[in-house]
Amino acid sequence: MRRTISLLLLLACACGEEGPEPGEELSGGATTVHDTTRNAFTLAARNLQGDRRDAFFTGNALFNRNWVTAPSSTEGLDGLGPTFNAPSCAACHFKDGRGKPPTEPDEKPLSLLFRLSIPGQDVHGGPLGDPTYGGQLQPQSILGVPKEGEVTLTHSLRDGRYEDGTGYSLEEPHYTLANLAFGPVHPELMMSPRVAPVMVGLGLLEAIPDATLEALADPDDSNGDGISGRINHVWDVEHRELRVGRFGWKANQPSLRQQNAGAFRGDIGITSDLFPEEDCPPAQEACRTSISGGTPELEARKLEQLTFYTQMLAVPARRDVDKPEVLRGRRLFRELDCAKCHVPRHETGTVADAPELSKQIIFPYTDLLLHDMGPELADGRPDFEATGNEWRTPPLWGIGLVETVNRHTRFLHDGRARSLEEAILWHGGEAERSRERFRTLSATDRTALLRFLESL
């Protein structure tokens, strides 16, 4: 094996490509697992041992368990809804992987949800929900409670052409609210589609120090490179103060615990100590008077177990890191300035209760900052300090295994891109120059860049 790697490195050097950084194939440092099967996103951190490994599987059971309507003999797992998107975490994050928009005529948008808000801010600077339908459209409900409504999805095609004459088309989604149970939405409603992201490496991302992100931020583009990453300062419910946001498509959650509790309430309709009230706007009488599964419905112990599970999901190792074509793509990724937002390398800090995540050299390919991605990808919906044009840079680790795990290749915040190639071509705003440089590459170089992404 070592001889094979050495020969590949020699070949890469002969082709003028720089070899990978030592350890670069271990995307999650010592937590990295070597798995390329359909279970690649479901595994515990490799350095998780003993009782802590048992705790991971306890959290895994909660992640995959369906919640049921209250009251139920299934003690501690009832309280679903009253309105909801899905009955479990795994329903949207199948095999801890990536969701997608509907691709078949009668398919429901199970792992594609819709945030709702109106102009203005709440008392903590966050978005204001629609007065009638709240902060998220709920297409499902328990017996006796009306479903809020549905979203219909149509597409139009945008044609384009590479510099070498090769044509391409992009699929642009269009969303329409339908079958609304409580009348029209607010006339200034802002609606934002979001697909469920991959779950791997979240604990490592949480362990990147705030100071690292602050050093990467350049809100005024002081270096004049056209890229101005910004931190989203968001409300921390537990500590009752503004903190650095790093989770969610707009970096609107400061911690995994709050991200998980928010998803329980918003997606499944399960209350917790962080979010103790049901999401039932005043107009929805049946929702407000339905039977609860307890106060709160999710015990603090179970939230901790679920959060530990999401902390310790391992990142798969990279593949083909030494192959000349991959190394060429790696060089092009940097030359096109993709690495200025998708920052390859970080070092985690010391995490008091998670030594497995501490002081790890990791390669997530993100800066966790907000960037203006241009009008074509804009949702027009502010979220704390994030504008309607801004999105957090998503991590790229594991992206080459999405097709294996989830049987699709839909990317970007709403899954509009049908391939990694289309995802690049949708980039605008601060990434427009990089996109245009990709568009003018030769077919050989485009393929090399995509092969590099597939190796992550």
Side-chain angles (χ1 to χ4, degrees):
M1 180 67 176
R2 288 184 177 179
R3 183 182 178 187
T4 302
I5 292 175
S6 298
L7 288 172
L8 286 168
L9 283 171
L10 285 171
L11 181 57
C13 292
C15 295
E17 303 299 348
E18 179 186 353
E21 179 179 335
E24 190 176 332
E25 73 279 6
L26 300 177
S27 299
T31 72
T32 307
V33 293
H34 295 268
D35 194 298
T36 58
T37 71
R38 205 175 184 199
N39 291 319
F41 297 156
T42 67
L43 305 176
R46 184 165 49 91
N47 58 352
L48 191 66
Q49 303 294 329
D51 293 344
R52 290 172 67 77
R53 198 169 188 86
D54 295 339
F56 173 86
F57 291 107
T58 300
N60 175 59
L62 279 170
F63 189 86
N64 288 287
R65 185 72 62 88
N66 279 347
W67 289 75
V68 297
T69 305
S72 168
S73 59
T74 311
E75 186 177 351
L77 288 171
D78 62 353
L80 176 68
T83 57
F84 60 98
N85 277 81
S88 71
C89 306
C92 294
H93 302 275
F94 182 66
K95 287 189 173 290
D96 301 289
R98 182 181 177 83
K100 68 176 183 64
T103 53
E104 301 297 329
D106 297 325
E107 186 179 356
K108 300 295 184 182
L110 178 63
S111 56
L112 174 69
L113 59 82
F114 295 85
R115 298 267 191 253
L116 308 176
S117 59
I118 62 174
Q121 294 182 322
D122 67 15
V123 294
H124 302 302
L128 285 175
D130 179 86
T132 304
Y133 295 93
Q136 185 170 315
L137 187 72
Q138 307 289 7
Q140 299 195 62
S141 64
I142 63 174
L143 186 66
V145 176
K147 303 173 183 178
E148 289 187 337
E150 301 173 351
V151 177
T152 59
L153 174 61
T154 58
H155 299 93
S156 59
L157 293 179
R158 290 172 173 246
D159 294 327
R161 194 167 295 277
Y162 288 107
E163 182 116 319
D164 63 10
T166 304
Y168 61 82
S169 69
L170 304 177
E171 190 176 78
E172 182 179 10
H174 306 282
Y175 307 101
T176 305
L177 290 168
N179 300 322
L180 293 173
F182 304 99
V185 296
H186 189 278
E188 296 182 89
L189 180 77
M190 296 174 282
M191 182 168 70
S192 180
R194 314 280 178 88
V195 294
V198 172
M199 301 291 295
V200 299
L202 297 181
L204 293 168
L205 296 179
E206 189 169 37
I208 297 173
D210 286 356
T212 298
L213 307 186
E214 290 162 355
L216 288 171
D218 185 17
D220 300 316
D221 191 19
S222 58
N223 61 4
D225 65 355
I227 297 171
S228 52
R230 299 194 309 118
I231 288 174
N232 194 6
H233 296 94
V234 304
W235 184 249
D236 187 309
V237 175
E238 188 171 15
H239 296 93
R240 302 195 61 76
E241 63 182 10
L242 291 173
R243 289 198 169 186
V244 173
R246 63 181 70 206
F247 297 110
W249 284 105
K250 285 184 180 275
N252 69 341
Q253 295 289 5
S255 67
L256 266 179
R257 188 170 188 269
Q258 184 166 314
Q259 168 71 25
N260 292 335
F264 263 111
R265 180 177 182 264
D267 301 347
I268 310 176
I270 299 297
T271 60
S272 65
D273 57 349
L274 265 65
F275 300 104
E277 296 182 2
E278 300 280 10
D279 185 14
C280 294
Q284 300 186 30
E285 178 68 19
C287 179
R288 292 191 296 107
T289 58
S290 63
I291 297 175
S292 167
T295 307
E297 292 162 328
L298 179 67
E299 301 167 21
R301 173 178 57 89
K302 289 181 178 176
L303 177 57
E304 295 307 319
Q305 291 168 339
L306 191 282
T307 299
F308 182 76
Y309 172 72
T310 57
Q311 277 184 312
M312 295 298 170
L313 277 165
V315 183
R318 284 186 56 196
R319 289 80 52 211
D320 303 327
V321 291
D322 301 306
K323 288 193 173 180
E325 188 178 36
V326 171
L327 289 171
R328 182 175 185 167
R330 177 181 182 272
R331 172 177 58 81
L332 289 165
F333 186 84
R334 287 159 170 76
E335 288 180 356
L336 269 58
D337 288 339
C338 305
K340 287 191 173 180
C341 298
H342 291 283
V343 175
R345 183 185 186 277
H346 291 280
E347 181 174 356
T348 65
T350 298
V351 186
D353 58 349
E356 300 88 355
L357 307 177
S358 299
K359 298 300 180 182
Q360 297 296 320
I361 303 299
I362 61 174
F363 296 85
Y365 286 84
T366 178
D367 59 7
L368 297 178
L369 300 178
L370 298 171
H371 294 275
D372 184 338
M373 295 300 292
E376 292 181 339
L377 287 182
D379 65 351
R381 179 180 179 273
D383 199 334
F384 288 97
E385 295 177 13
T387 71
N389 277 30
E390 288 180 316
W391 299 98
R392 184 202 69 161
T393 306
L396 297 182
W397 51 14
I399 202 166
L401 290 171
V402 168
E403 185 173 12
T404 298
V405 173
N406 295 123
R407 302 291 196 259
H408 70 80
T409 56
R410 307 295 296 223
F411 299 105
L412 299 180
H413 67 278
D414 55 4
R416 70 175 64 192
R418 296 168 292 183
S419 65
L420 290 171
E421 179 180 4
E422 287 190 16
I424 296 170
L425 292 168
W426 271 111
H427 279 51
E430 295 174 38
E432 182 175 356
R433 184 173 62 177
S434 295
R435 180 200 68 202
E436 284 303 292
R437 293 173 72 182
F438 174 75
R439 198 182 60 79
T440 60
L441 290 177
S442 67
T444 301
D445 281 349
R446 295 197 303 269
T447 299
L449 180 56
L450 293 170
R451 282 284 293 114
F452 165 71
L453 294 176
E454 290 165 359
S455 80
L456 296 179

